Amino acid sequence: MPRLLRRGSTTSRRSYDGPVVVGRSRSRIWVPALVVGAFAVVALVVLPYDSPRWSFVYLCATLVALVVLFGAALAMPRGTRVVWWCLFAFQVLTMASQAIGDHARKSGTSAFPGPADWLSLLAYVPVLTALGVLIHRLNPGRDREAWIDSSILSVAAASVFGLFLIVPVLSEPGMSRAAVAVAVTYPVLDLAVLASLIWLLVGGGRPKTTMLLVAVSFAFTLTADILRDLSLVDAWSGAPQSVLPALRVAAVVTMAAAATAPGAEDIAVPRETVRPHATTTRLAVLAVGVLAVPTLVAVRLWDDASKLTLLLALAAIIIIILAVWRIGLLVTAVDQQRQVTELVLDSAGDGIVGLDREGFVVFANLSARRMLRCRESDLIGRRFHDVAHHEYPDGRAFPWHECPVQQLVQRGGEAFIPDQVYVRRDGTTFPVEIIISPLRVDGVLTGAVQSFRDVSERHAVDELKRQFVSVVSHELRTPLTSIKGSLQMLDSGLVGELSGEQAELVSMAVSNSERLSQLVNDILDIERLDAGRLPLKPESVPPARLAELAVTAMAGAAGAAGIQLVLEVDPSATEDAMVFADPHRLVQVLTNLVGNAIKFSDRGARIMVRVTVAGTYAHLAVIDHGRGIPAEHLESVFDRFGQVDAGDARREGGTGLGLAIAREITVRSGGEIPVTSTIGAGSTFTVVLPLVDEDAAARITPAPAGVGAEEAL
Amino acid sequence: MTGAPRSIVVVDDDEDVRRLLVLSLSRVGGYDVRPVDSGQACLAELRRDRPDAVVLDVMMPVMDGPATLEEIRIDPDILDVPVVFLTAGIVDSDVERLRTLPVSGVLHKPFDPMRLPAQLAQLLGW
């Protein structure tokens, strides 16, 4: 059975082979990372740049950091590997572009924008990919909102920073528009990434240390890119350029430290709990982002604007503040509503799981998580079938494409599915019943709600009942065997002739012991029909054959009652007209009907069993010429103990259960028993069964899952 | 049937049922019937004198029908004696399980003593 491996802080980290030895203990990774970080800071602040010796030190530090980052990315679990590979790719591309830039500078061909600058731009492709993965993973089910929020912040930060601070500085004579655009792009992208990271962090993104270090790394890159831009402007060229390589080294070293920090492998793993305050904090951060642009507009207008323009700018700021406040209230209200809804769903005793159209979990209530012993993160975003429904009751693997839930979810069907087995996170299983209902938004199918109930206890009760029936059956039948057998032997005269009155009394005792034993059978049958434990073993059988068997079985009884029992098979009932039914049980139905007919017919009367085929149905009619059934009782004859007149049971020796059982069996075979009757002229009970069409036969055949459950009882 | 009547060992823990089986099979069927009251006694009787068939009750204390059958089927001297189960059970899965065992058939209680010998003979192919 494919157990799901959970990548969490509890899983020990895989060590890897490589030039840098990273042990299993986190403190041993953490300490060297700190040392390298400290070195980066010292290098940045203290060390001079323009010496070959320090260039060499920088080079070594960069290489070591890149190798550490590479090794860490290599050892990441699958869920977060892509993020770390992207960040690694970013660092490599940045370093490469820096090297090319240095080379160009030394050879005196430092036109801007040159190859190095284009390579630098390319480096943002993996970064934005990594950011996308993080935003998507850390905001399960809400990634569209997350993208919008993140974009607001990025655009705000970028426009304030780029348009108001960098562009004016760069826009001096000698700079082409293209050069300005490229130069502005790096810091703007850095800032956008930084803003999104901070936003993820305040929104509950964990592990905190790792995300903080990644953010710091981008802060270094941002600073370096600003300094580089400034160096393009004559008025600023000079001192800042010398710290540029140091900043780049600091960025890559910090990134390596982030990748080796404790919990770095969990960077893209969503947390179980979404803290309510995160919403507030996020809104505050968003408000700052939204307000930044108009504030700066206002500040810039201050110099040369008319009072009216200034007032308008202020009005805009106030309106935006009010709008953000309003949105905040709205979000809080929606959040409270969501909490109420979740509380309601969590309080339900049944497991409730929301699925999308591919069967992936978008929601799981508390009961579902408790029954499956799962955390929310074990379910959300995974296919429910793969997490918990991947075994048949007999332990065989249950592929998704065989799962009945699959079709229902994809087609929007609704169904009750009994006798299934779910697998808990620890590998143990429990029996469940599932109800699937489609989920439609504005008439469009978006998924399904799957609610399920643990039926272990009910199965235990069913098993007790089964044992009870078995014991009762044995205990009732053993004395009945002796009583009935003894009476039958007496009655046969084999052990001595009986006088007239003796024979009459014994005969009375025989017929009543007969009735008692029939009653025991009927009660047990009814009990098993109710419990769904009277398994029908349907097969294709000609209806005439069923009638023949019943007539043969009842010939003796009819003869004894002086009644002529006739079988008539209509030519329409050909040999290849088959019904799909359990022959044993259907013969039981027919003998019961014939038995009834005999009971209510007078001596010398005639009873006919007629088999016809009409359309796609076979009709097995039992026709008597007895006294008939009043119209108002036609339906109640099938009720339990529902004989037409209370005296009948005693007089005619029935149990009152026979017809109820007969109808139940017929209905479960896909048929019905209509009755027509005329007072004084007789009654006709017709067993109507659908003829076999091969597809239908395949549908009625119990699925393997169902059979397994039946046998497990 | 020629010569001596066929012999049948009947096994049932209920004394009355046992008596009825003897009456039915000897008086109606004309067989030589040897009744025993438990699985252990059945095995002893079979080893003492091999019968032509065994009618074996299913639900018995200590050693039930299937357990007795198992012992019979591993004893080289008696392993091919035909056995017919006699059960008061009604639960289909139980009865189905009995049919899968190496027996000639399953008869049900309550039985009609006048017809039992014929039913038994049919199952045994006599």
Side-chain angles (χ1 to χ4, degrees), chain A residues 433-448:
Chain A
E433 288 173 353
I434 310 171
I435 296 175
I436 301 281
S437 321
L439 204 58
R440 292 180 203 277
V441 177
D442 298 330
V444 178
L445 184 69
T446 56

Side-chain angles (χ1 to χ4, degrees), chain A residues 466 470 473-474 477-478 480-482 484-486 488-489 492 494-495 517 521 524 528 534-535 537 585, chain B residues 14 16-17 20 23-24 27-28 57 59 87-94 96-97 109-114:
Chain A
R466 192 195 69 83
S470 177
S473 160
H474 182 260
R477 280 155 175 253
T478 302
L480 251 179
T481 305
S482 305
K484 202 176 140 197
S486 309
Q488 279 168 326
M489 289 211 78
S492 71
L494 196 79
V495 288
S517 104
N521 283 348
L524 293 172
R528 287 185 304 156
L534 189 71
K537 296 186 189 68
R585 292 294 173 190
Chain B
D14 188 285
D16 295 342
V17 174
L20 197 62
L23 275 175
S24 162
R27 299 289 285 273
V28 181
D57 184 29
M59 225 190 261
T87 178
I90 192 173
V91 180
D92 295 68
S93 54
D94 294 350
E96 282 305 312
R97 211 161 21 244
K109 291 183 195 173
F111 53 86
D112 180 343
M114 303 309 294

